[in-house]
Amino acid sequence: MIEVWNNSLHKEELENFSKAVADRNIMEGPVLATFEEQIQDLLKADYVVGTSSGSAALALAFMGIGIKPGDEIIVPDLTFIATANAAHLLGADVVIAPVKENQTLIDEDAVEQYITHKTKAIVTVDLNGRIACSKELKKRYGERGIYIIDDACQAFMSCAEDGKMAGMHADIACYSFGISKMITTVMGGLVATNHQEIYEKIKIMKTQGMPSIFEGDFYKYPGFNFKLPDVLAAIGLGQLERLDIKMKHMCEIDRMYRDKLQGIEGITFLNRDKGEHPWMTEILCDNKDKVREILRCHEISSRPLGEPLHKAAYLKTKGKYPTSETMREKLLYLPSGPDQNMENVVQVIQVLKTNNLK
């Protein structure tokens, strides 16, 4: 079976993991500090905080800006549900905004109609490596006291036209290092910001709101256990050693799909700007169910786009979301990943080229 995602742990990661254990660097310590420093350099961020997951990073971002019950958070309709759940579970009202026509990113020109006096933050999502409009939204709404939080969990190492890394136009950026991402710590994530006050706050909040767990004598903020342990950060350091190789391979997979499948009846591609790194290669299908069945019969797995968030009854909606419905109906992810065998990609292409996809 050709899996839709392949990201493997190599010798470097296993050696780093074993060394961390042997050196008794198990929980947060020098290994995590090194991992954070390397990510900070890549992002050119002032401050970073490693977390237990991308979801934890999102929760910390909302906690760091003081989200409370009754606040409103604007989130795009197309994103993983974790983006909304992190704010909803803190008591905020999550308001769903539409995405742009023929795209998967939040429509910055539609955001204004969703803003009220209760709006505390707007979340942009760099879905599948595409850079969302956090820079523009920060210009429009920053002076109105509205924070811009960028969910860049699918966009680590994507780059905007001005050279800034995905997430770094926002007040706070969130990243995931789960197994389904280009760089993995198996489970893990990270918050990045250039705001010292927010950084100091979330650094404490991720350890139950205590400046020192060892002393245990001062509860400064409400918090939780969102720590990224050294043993997992050690795996991330091994992954970073192969970062360039992984990026090149994922770009080559995307390039091959686009080159070989261009003009095939029944499928089209979404545009991708220069510098936007592909997380996975997606296609738009005239008949998605048929394409999936053809692939399945050849033992090839594929992945559909998740349900739009406006389908979640516990979130707030306004109007209709036609682009999201179209994307859900047509979009399909093909086998990808930093360790996906290129022979598998060739086989997928061959199957799609030799079958009627309409």
Side-chain angles (χ1 to χ4, degrees):
M1 185 75 174
I2 297 177
E3 299 296 338
V4 76
W5 180 259
N6 191 333
N7 188 8
S8 302
L9 301 185
H10 291 205
K11 181 177 71 172
E12 296 90 342
E13 290 89 330
L14 299 178
E15 289 176 348
N16 284 0
F17 180 89
S18 297
K19 186 177 188 307
V21 173
D23 292 345
R24 299 177 63 83
N25 292 321
I26 308 298
M27 289 306 296
E28 287 190 326
V31 181
L32 173 62
T34 301
F35 180 69
E36 289 176 331
E37 288 169 6
Q38 291 192 17
I39 299 296
Q40 183 177 346
D41 288 343
L42 288 169
L43 297 176
K44 296 179 174 60
D46 289 346
Y47 308 101
V48 302
V49 177
T51 64
S52 55
S53 67
S55 299
L58 288 160
L60 270 178
F62 293 129
M63 292 162 65
I65 64 172
I67 291 299
K68 62 184 184 301
D71 288 337
E72 291 184 349
I73 308 294
I74 297 174
V75 173
D77 197 25
L78 292 183
T79 180
F80 186 48
I81 191 67
T83 313
N85 281 345
H88 177 76
L89 290 173
L90 290 171
D93 292 325
V94 179
V95 182
I96 306 304
V99 297
K100 293 186 282 190
E101 187 176 358
N102 298 320
Q103 252 297 357
T104 57
L105 305 179
I106 192 169
D107 186 347
E108 63 266 37
D109 293 327
V111 166
E112 180 66 34
Q113 63 183 296
Y114 294 83
I115 290 178
T116 72
H117 68 282
K118 296 180 180 180
T119 304
K120 184 81 171 183
I122 304 167
V123 182
T124 53
V125 179
D126 304 320
L127 202 67
N128 200 4
R130 293 183 174 85
I131 305 293
C133 54
S134 54
K135 180 180 180 180
E136 177 63 28
L137 293 179
K138 192 173 179 180
K139 284 181 182 178
R140 294 183 189 180
Y141 302 110
E143 293 184 358
R144 291 167 60 173
I146 297 174
Y147 289 95
I148 307 300
I149 296 175
D150 196 311
D151 179 343
C153 288
Q154 291 185 3
F156 181 66
M157 296 308 293
S158 274
C159 184
E161 290 182 357
D162 62 3
K164 281 202 172 187
M165 305 305 290
M168 296 314 301
H169 284 119
D171 294 298
I172 309 174
C174 301
Y175 304 88
S176 170
F177 301 123
I179 194 64
S180 64
K181 302 302 185 289
M182 175 176 60
I183 292 296
T184 185
T185 56
V186 181
M187 285 292 293
L190 183 126
V191 179
T193 183
N194 293 328
H195 293 259
Q196 183 177 1
E197 184 179 351
I198 291 174
Y199 163 71
E200 296 290 351
K201 191 174 181 181
I202 64 177
K203 187 170 65 170
I204 295 172
M205 284 179 156
K206 78 160 182 173
T207 54
Q208 301 292 356
M210 302 164 64
S212 171
I213 292 179
F214 183 80
E215 295 295 333
D217 59 354
F218 183 33
Y219 307 116
K220 189 168 185 179
Y221 306 113
F224 212 72
N225 180 359
F226 287 141
K227 298 190 295 293
L228 177 62
D230 271 20
V231 288
L232 297 186
I235 293 173
L237 286 173
Q239 292 265 301
L240 287 174
E241 291 177 22
R242 296 187 289 112
L243 177 59
D244 288 344
I245 295 172
K246 291 158 78 73
M247 289 181 65
K248 288 177 182 176
H249 186 66
M250 293 172 77
C251 287
E252 180 58 29
I253 288 173
D254 188 68
R255 191 178 303 114
M256 180 173 284
Y257 277 133
R258 288 173 177 271
D259 288 347
K260 301 300 183 181
L261 296 177
Q262 201 69 43
I264 298 296
E265 191 174 10
I267 63 173
T268 55
F269 290 87
L270 290 173
N271 291 332
R272 188 179 296 282
D273 291 336
K274 183 179 180 181
E276 293 180 336
H277 185 78
W279 169 60
M280 299 181 75
T281 294
E282 82 273 80
I283 56 175
L284 297 180
C285 310
D286 290 348
N287 190 337
K288 184 184 70 177
D289 291 341
K290 182 175 182 180
V291 173
R292 292 200 79 188
E293 180 61 18
I294 289 170
L295 292 172
R296 189 192 66 77
C297 289
H298 287 83
E299 297 190 328
I300 299 170
S301 37
S302 59
R303 178 179 176 179
L305 180 68
E307 282 279 28
L309 297 198
H310 75 265
K311 297 292 186 71
Y314 55 89
L315 304 179
K316 294 181 69 173
T317 59
K318 180 180 179 180
K320 297 184 180 299
Y321 304 84
T323 300
S324 300
E325 297 285 1
T326 299
M327 290 296 172
R328 167 62 175 170
E329 180 184 346
K330 293 187 173 184
L331 194 145
L332 191 66
Y333 294 110
L334 299 178
S336 306
D339 289 289
Q340 188 68 252
N341 191 316
M342 199 59 81
E343 292 179 0
N344 291 342
V345 176
V346 171
Q347 185 175 338
V348 174
I349 291 169
Q350 182 65 19
V351 168
L352 293 177
K353 289 180 70 173
T354 55
N355 283 271
N356 179 10
L357 307 180
K358 297 270 294 178

